[in-house]
Amino acid sequence: MLTDGGTDEMCFVDVPPSEGKAVVGEVITNDGDQPATVTEVMLLDAKDMVVEDAYIIPMTTGSGTALGVSSTLTIDPEVRAILDLAVPAEGYVIAAGEQVNVVTAVSIPADVRQGTASGIDVRYEEWPDINVTDARIKMTMTKDSCP
């Protein structure tokens, strides 16, 4: 069974094209006793916000190993080092007891000022069942600024 660490709330400003796409991450843990294969990553209750890509970043011990909000083409060397570990989410096998950072590259349409979602939905298979876990993160992405 995959679980997340709780409910968060965040607001972030869309990044300029020169910085790629905005990325949002959440840490989840496979609390089950067998591997879980990620089959799909989506946004929950999304309004004017879409997932462009989804990645898994394997976690290492210590601080600074998980990504919250950033951009795909960041110049920050510490964040870049974390992003360099990213692999496509679909098909990733999360071992029993493993903790990973699920990261979504998200966007909002050019003619929209703000998009929202209530979380990241990770669909996975623990043979023989297909399951869903919801990482609840109230997200607001804006073209302007956050309150």
Side-chain angles (χ1 to χ4, degrees), residues 106-130:
V106 295
S107 66
I108 55 179
D111 61 338
V112 172
R113 301 310 307 157
Q114 178 177 292
T116 60
S118 65
I120 299 172
D121 179 71
V122 179
R123 295 174 187 261
Y124 63 98
E125 182 180 294
E126 279 182 326
W127 193 88
D129 301 316
I130 294 178

Side-chain angles (χ1 to χ4, degrees), residues 2-143:
L2 299 181
T3 59
D4 78 303
T7 301
D8 297 313
E9 188 170 338
M10 63 179 66
C11 178
F12 52 98
V13 177
D14 194 9
V15 298
S18 63
E19 293 181 29
K21 299 279 184 206
V23 292
V24 180
E26 179 65 24
V27 174
I28 61 172
T29 304
N30 182 351
D31 287 329
D33 58 1
Q34 60 182 326
T37 302
V38 176
T39 58
E40 186 174 16
V41 177
M42 309 173 353
L43 293 175
L44 291 169
D45 307 317
K47 181 176 183 319
D48 295 325
M49 187 186 302
V50 297
V51 173
E52 298 287 340
D53 291 301
Y55 307 98
I56 297 287
I57 299 174
M59 300 282 294
T60 57
T61 56
S63 61
T65 60
L67 200 63
V69 175
S70 187
S71 68
T72 56
L73 299 177
T74 181
I75 59 171
D76 181 313
E78 290 178 20
V79 174
R80 183 78 258 152
I82 294 170
L83 281 171
D84 286 345
L85 300 173
V87 296
E90 190 173 322
Y92 185 90
V93 178
I94 304 172
E98 183 180 11
Q99 190 172 59
V100 298
N101 192 188
V102 178
V103 177
T104 56
V106 295
S107 66
I108 55 179
D111 61 338
V112 172
R113 301 310 307 157
Q114 178 177 292
T116 60
S118 65
I120 299 172
D121 179 71
V122 179
R123 295 174 187 261
Y124 63 98
E125 182 180 294
E126 279 182 326
W127 193 88
D129 301 316
I130 294 178
N131 303 294
V132 176
T133 189
D134 298 334
R136 293 286 174 177
I137 311 169
K138 184 178 177 188
M139 294 180 270
T140 302
M141 183 175 179
T142 178
K143 297 268 189 204

